[in-house]
Amino acid sequence: SYGFRSVYLNIMPFRLGGKRFRHETELDYLCHLQAVVEILQKYDQLDYVLAQLDETTKKPRAGTSPLIAVPLRLDLTEEQVNQIMG
């Protein structure tokens, strides 16, 4: 721990187990993903997150309440965490 709050990223699939999440259309979902990519680039986290995605074998599990997601920890400075979390 760095002595300050950690920020985790959860990306849900458009559908899991036949259930749609918060997006009405696949285009809405893809636009949201693009926005996530832009934020990760802003904070220089895209390569870090892509490496975690490449290394993990974990997958979100459908049929659980709440859904069991795969959290990806962001490697942020304390200043960046404060910018994001307020």
Side-chain angles (χ1 to χ4, degrees):
S1 172
Y2 298 108
F4 56 91
R5 299 175 286 187
S6 295
V7 177
Y8 291 83
L9 172 68
N10 287 316
I11 301 287
M12 302 301 192
F14 179 61
R15 280 196 168 93
L16 183 61
K19 178 184 181 258
R20 260 189 303 150
F21 289 102
R22 65 182 246 185
H23 301 93
E24 289 297 317
T25 67
E26 190 169 358
L27 179 59
D28 290 341
Y29 175 73
L30 294 174
C31 288
H32 185 153
L33 287 182
Q34 180 61 40
V36 170
V37 167
E38 291 171 12
I39 292 167
L40 290 173
Q41 287 175 323
K42 175 181 177 179
Y43 290 99
D44 197 28
Q45 295 295 297
L46 184 58
D47 289 337
Y48 184 71
V49 167
L50 290 175
Q52 288 181 76
L53 286 170
D54 192 44
E55 293 171 5
T56 190
T57 58
K58 297 179 181 177
K59 295 181 183 180
R61 286 193 287 172
T64 59
S65 181
L67 175 76
I68 297 176
V70 179
L72 303 170
R73 188 178 156 305
L74 302 182
D75 188 23
L76 300 168
T77 65
E78 184 173 6
E79 181 181 333
Q80 290 171 321
V81 170
N82 289 335
Q83 285 176 341
I84 293 168
M85 304 298 285

